[in-house]
Structure formats: C-alpha cells, structure tokens
Amino acid sequence: MKKIPYELKLYVAGATPKSLEAFANLKMICNEHLKGQYSIKVIDLLKNPKLAKGDQIVAIPTLVRRLPEPIKKIVGDLSNKQRVLVGLDIVKKG
C-alpha cells in the first residue's frame, strides 16, 4: 500500500515560546504517526508577512495541511495531540 505524503506548513511569528512549542509538538506527532511520509515548512511571518495572504492566515501559530487534499488548518500550539491527529485525518474522530 502506497503511503500518502503529507505537505505541512507551520505559520509562526518569530521564535516565540508558543511558536517553538507548536513546532516541537508537530515534529513529535509526525515522527510518531507519519514517519518518512511528511514534509514541514516553517514560515516566519515576521520575515515574510505577505505569505500569510496565500493561505488566509488570521492567527498564529497555524498549521496548514496542503496535502493530502482537502486543505486543513489547525490554530494553536498543537499541544492537544488528539485534536491534531483528527485535524490532519491521521485518526478518525470518535
């Protein structure tokens, strides 16, 4: 069975504690559940504020799943592992 690649973008605003926590939580979840089938791009909106418009980012940190479709967004520090797993469709809600 072919593994589905996950293309993830994490929008942050500098290296704030909340941004760093979101990235650490995301890495942990991906390593546990998507080993070898994901890519993460961290986008610092302090350096590239125009990039927020493309994915319609209104809060930070925000995780955007570009692939597999449909596009999904999760706002926050990603500390609620179950919410992130359901939000990324890695596990079913229930």
Side-chain angles (χ1 to χ4, degrees):
M1 183 174 191
K2 186 176 179 180
K3 292 183 177 182
I4 301 168
Y6 280 72
E7 183 181 312
L8 307 170
K9 290 183 178 179
L10 180 62
Y11 288 88
V12 298
T16 64
K18 200 168 187 175
S19 296
L20 296 174
E21 185 177 348
F23 182 68
N25 289 331
L26 179 60
K27 283 287 288 183
M28 179 190 65
I29 290 168
C30 287
N31 285 335
E32 286 180 14
H33 298 277
L34 299 172
K35 202 163 191 117
Q37 65 180 106
Y38 70 92
S39 65
I40 299 172
K41 184 174 184 179
V42 178
I43 299 169
D44 187 345
L45 295 179
L46 292 180
K47 294 179 182 174
N48 299 303
K50 292 180 181 177
L51 296 178
K53 195 172 184 178
D55 278 323
Q56 300 175 338
I57 303 301
V58 294
I60 48 173
T62 296
L63 175 65
V64 176
R65 186 190 77 180
R66 305 285 298 174
L67 291 174
E69 292 183 345
I71 293 173
K72 294 208 166 189
K73 296 178 186 174
I74 302 171
V75 177
D77 63 9
L78 310 176
S79 59
N80 185 330
K81 185 176 175 181
Q82 188 63 27
R83 183 174 158 253
V84 174
L85 291 172
V86 170
L88 293 176
D89 287 335
I90 295 172
V91 299
K92 298 291 179 200
K93 189 175 183 179

